[in-house]
């Protein structure tokens, strides 16, 4: 879920242009390039980057979800035997190799608008925040820049998650299905949930989602931009793609580690009542945390963190790299849409 929305950070012309331009001129050129990337281009770049990233890492994403929800209907002895290899082998034997991408269509349907809104909102929130006296962007105001990136990223994540939440819930339920198929697709799942659980059933777990996605995106944005700025100041000639990939991966690890327990609770809330099953949790958010710790131990809050790490390193890196590349391509092809 962690994406990046910095626009106009690459100077055209490659290493020679970087060597021959003064720093002030490079800054002006960056600003000019940013102005040449229109709203539609930002939305397209963000949406495609998010969808491609999710498709590439779909198998690991499904493993993460299956591990996260195991504690809802499994005993402790079963949980102790769980492993990534064992679960992956079970999926191949019982459901087939294509099952690793179960729910990926709805993931793309969710990720396209989610990433588009997230990237676009991040730029708009940064502009609004920098209108506040003392938060203007300049070389001496790194603290102000970090605040803008952190708060802007958090607000963008909350905005995008709220706008596309029903698709996220449907994606979780489709991915969590194993041998018994209760939901036959996106539209069937939306209709079934609305009929059996009410319209508000499409928003189960939204509270935990917003509590997690705000800090998650905020950490991802601020860590990425801070690492990227430091890297470019120390090694300005390194390829942009490599920088984006490395910094994006590290920012994904940081945000996932910090917010994984909330993501786990979110998934379990999304599956409450799925397929006609009885409710497992009858308390609020903090009650669910307490229940998980009592029944599964503190480690239960991080159930599935390893496939999440394996997913987030290439996933966030691919997303950043694709977004930066598409920005340049769209800036050249369609300067202002």
């Amino acid at each position: 879920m962690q994406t990046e929305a910095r626009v106009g950070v690459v100077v055209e012309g490659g290493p020679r242009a970087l060597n021959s331009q003064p720093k002030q001129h490079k800054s002006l050129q960056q600003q000019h390039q940013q102005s040449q990337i229109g709203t539609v281009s930002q939305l397209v770049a963000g949406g495609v980057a998010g969808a491609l990233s999710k498709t590439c890492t779909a198998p690991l994403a499904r493993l993460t979800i299956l591990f996260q929800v195991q504690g809802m209907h499994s005993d402790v002895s079963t949980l102790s035997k769980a492993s990534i290899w064992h679960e992956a082998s079970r999926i191949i034997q019982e459901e087939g190799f294509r099952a690793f991408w179960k729910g990926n269509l709805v993931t793309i349907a969710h990720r396209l608008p989610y990433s588009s809104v997230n990237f676009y909102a991040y730029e708009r929130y940064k502009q609004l925040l920098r209108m506040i006296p003392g938060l203007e962007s300049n070389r001496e105001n790194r603290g102000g820049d970090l605040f803008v990136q952190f708060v802007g990223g958090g607000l963008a994540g909350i905005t995008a998650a709220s706008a596309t939440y029903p698709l996220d819930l449907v994606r979780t339920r489709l991915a969590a299905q194993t041998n018994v198929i209760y939901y036959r697709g996106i539209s069937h799942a939306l209709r079934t949930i609305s009929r059996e659980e009410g319209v508000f059933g499409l928003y189960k777990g939204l509270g935990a989602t917003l509590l997690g996605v705000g800090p998650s995106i905020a950490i991802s944005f601020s860590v990425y931009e801070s690492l990227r700025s430091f890297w470019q100041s120390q090694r300005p000639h390194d390829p942009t793609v490599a920088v984006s990939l490395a910094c994006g991966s590290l920012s994904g690890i940081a945000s996932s580690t910090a917010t994984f327990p909330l993501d786990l609770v979110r998934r379990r809330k999304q599956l409450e009542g799925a397929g006609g099953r009885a409710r497992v949790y009858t308390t609020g958010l903090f009650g669910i945390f307490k229940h998980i710790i009592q029944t599964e131990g503190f480690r239960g809050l991080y159930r599935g963190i390893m496939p999440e790490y394996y997913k987030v390193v290439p996933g966030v890196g691919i997303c950043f790299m694709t977004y930066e590349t598409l920005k340049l391509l769209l800036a050249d092809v369609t300067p202002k849409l």
Side-chain angles (χ1 to χ4, degrees):
M1 178 169 43
Q2 297 82 0
T3 49
E4 187 270 348
R6 187 178 179 90
V7 175
V9 292
V10 183
V11 178
E12 294 178 338
R16 291 183 181 178
L18 286 167
N19 287 331
S20 61
Q21 294 173 335
K23 290 184 178 179
Q24 183 178 3
H25 181 62
K26 286 192 291 184
S27 177
L28 291 174
Q29 186 171 0
Q30 289 174 351
Q31 294 173 8
H32 173 71
Q33 185 178 356
Q34 177 172 351
S35 68
Q36 295 302 307
I37 299 177
T39 299
V40 176
S41 296
Q42 287 184 21
L43 294 174
V44 170
V48 172
L52 178 62
S53 169
K54 285 295 183 179
T55 300
C56 291
T57 59
L60 289 167
R62 187 170 184 228
L63 285 170
T64 298
I65 292 174
L66 291 174
F67 273 104
Q68 285 179 323
V69 303
Q70 276 180 342
M72 294 182 70
H73 305 287
S74 303
D75 56 34
V76 177
S77 60
T78 302
L79 295 175
S80 63
K81 299 176 183 178
S83 68
I84 296 175
W85 176 251
H86 179 269
E87 188 63 22
S89 300
R90 184 201 63 76
I91 292 174
I92 294 174
Q93 292 174 2
E94 297 181 6
E95 304 176 59
F97 187 75
R98 291 179 60 185
F100 280 117
W101 280 266
K102 183 179 288 186
N104 190 56
L105 182 61
V106 69
T107 297
I108 294 174
H110 166 257
R111 189 54 48 168
L112 281 169
Y114 176 88
S115 294
S116 297
V117 172
N118 193 22
F119 279 60
Y120 180 74
Y122 179 59
E123 291 300 331
R124 301 290 80 78
Y125 282 129
K126 282 202 302 182
Q127 291 178 358
L128 291 174
L129 289 169
R130 280 175 177 153
M131 294 173 64
I132 300 175
L135 294 180
E136 299 86 353
S137 180
N138 57 68
R139 187 176 300 176
E140 290 76 24
N141 193 20
R142 284 302 305 156
D145 283 346
L146 186 60
F147 175 83
V148 168
Q149 293 158 9
F150 190 86
V151 175
L155 292 174
I158 290 172
T159 301
S162 300
T164 60
Y165 188 77
L167 286 172
D168 185 39
L169 181 137
V170 168
R171 177 245 178 170
T172 298
R173 295 201 176 184
L174 289 175
Q177 293 184 143
T178 52
N179 296 324
V180 179
I181 304 300
Y182 192 81
Y183 304 109
R184 297 192 297 271
I186 300 174
S187 59
H188 179 260
L190 289 170
R191 290 196 307 270
T192 303
I193 294 169
S194 299
R195 184 178 64 252
E196 296 181 353
E197 305 170 48
V199 176
F200 288 109
L202 295 171
Y203 292 88
K204 282 185 176 179
L206 179 60
T209 298
L210 297 183
L211 283 175
V213 74
S216 176
I217 301 297
I219 293 170
S220 182
F221 278 136
S222 54
V223 170
Y224 174 79
E225 297 217 38
S226 297
L227 287 175
R228 198 172 195 278
S229 297
F230 177 77
W231 191 318
Q232 289 185 324
S233 67
Q234 300 297 314
R235 301 175 62 89
H237 306 304
D238 285 352
T240 301
V241 170
V243 175
S244 297
L245 193 62
C247 295
S249 298
L250 291 173
S251 72
I253 291 174
S255 61
S256 291
T257 302
T259 61
F260 191 81
L262 276 169
D263 187 63
L264 180 140
V265 171
R266 171 176 76 100
R267 296 295 187 194
R268 295 194 179 186
K269 287 289 290 182
Q270 288 177 333
L271 288 169
E272 280 281 69
R277 284 188 171 185
R279 294 185 61 183
V280 177
Y281 307 112
T282 57
T283 59
L285 183 64
F286 292 104
I288 296 175
F289 275 111
K290 182 179 179 181
H291 182 275
I292 293 173
I293 293 173
Q294 288 177 342
T295 57
E296 305 172 47
F298 183 79
R299 292 179 60 184
L301 295 175
Y302 284 89
R303 188 172 304 283
I305 190 66
M306 290 311 297
E308 174 70 10
Y309 282 154
Y310 298 149
K311 176 195 75 174
V312 80
V313 170
V316 179
I318 290 170
C319 190
F320 289 159
M321 179 181 65
T322 304
Y323 183 62
E324 297 288 357
T325 303
L326 285 176
K327 282 192 306 181
L328 293 178
L329 294 175
L330 291 172
D332 290 338
V333 176
T334 55
K336 190 75 172 179
L337 291 177

